[in-house]
Amino acid sequence: MQDEVIAAAEAALRAAMLAGDVAALDALLDHDLSFTDQAGNRLSKADDLAAYRSGRLKLETIDLVEPPDIRRWGDCATVCVTVDLAGFFGGESFFGRFAYSRVWHESDGRWRVVLAHCSALPSTG
């Protein structure tokens, strides 16, 4: 059964990413965020926000390939999701299928991403 609170947080995260809404991302990402990108680089919250703030990263689509797999344990939840992602990074356009894993943690009544990992998937076509 999908947890509606976490599903809503995931939807808010996707919307913030698409809009490049740094304030919304700031509220959804924990200060101690550790994000491993598809190239294996470990990024902090500041690194992630800087990519959006500078315009280096601009997402145009985040299409779910299948519904997210959400599992919740008290004040923590995991989300595994596969998306088709398109946009621009450093002025270069990109499109690809990516698998994301995220750990959400509730603190002070707010859910934030504390850990995330992204893997590029082989082209299906």
Side-chain angles (χ1 to χ4, degrees), residues 21-121:
D21 186 339
V22 174
L25 289 167
D26 185 46
L28 291 164
L29 304 176
D30 193 83
H31 291 296
D32 291 328
L33 171 74
S34 181
F35 171 52
T36 304
D37 70 12
Q38 69 280 1
N41 300 306
R42 190 169 299 150
L43 307 172
S44 68
K45 175 181 180 172
D47 296 328
D48 197 39
L49 294 179
Y52 286 96
R53 188 177 288 116
S54 69
R56 190 170 39 126
L57 175 61
K58 172 71 176 124
L59 299 178
E60 292 189 332
T61 61
I62 305 174
D63 294 331
L64 297 175
V65 174
E66 57 196 24
D69 179 11
I70 298 173
R71 309 206 182 197
R72 185 168 166 183
W73 298 274
D75 65 354
C76 289
T78 59
V79 177
C80 296
V81 64
T82 301
V83 300
D84 285 334
L85 196 64
F88 294 87
F89 185 79
E92 298 290 322
S93 66
F94 71 89
F95 172 81
R97 183 163 285 181
F98 297 87
Y100 284 87
S101 300
R102 285 187 274 274
V103 176
W104 291 82
H105 179 252
E106 182 186 25
S107 178
D108 300 324
R110 295 178 60 187
W111 286 91
R112 293 180 187 89
V113 179
V114 294
L115 182 68
H117 185 274
C118 176
S119 294
L121 300 176

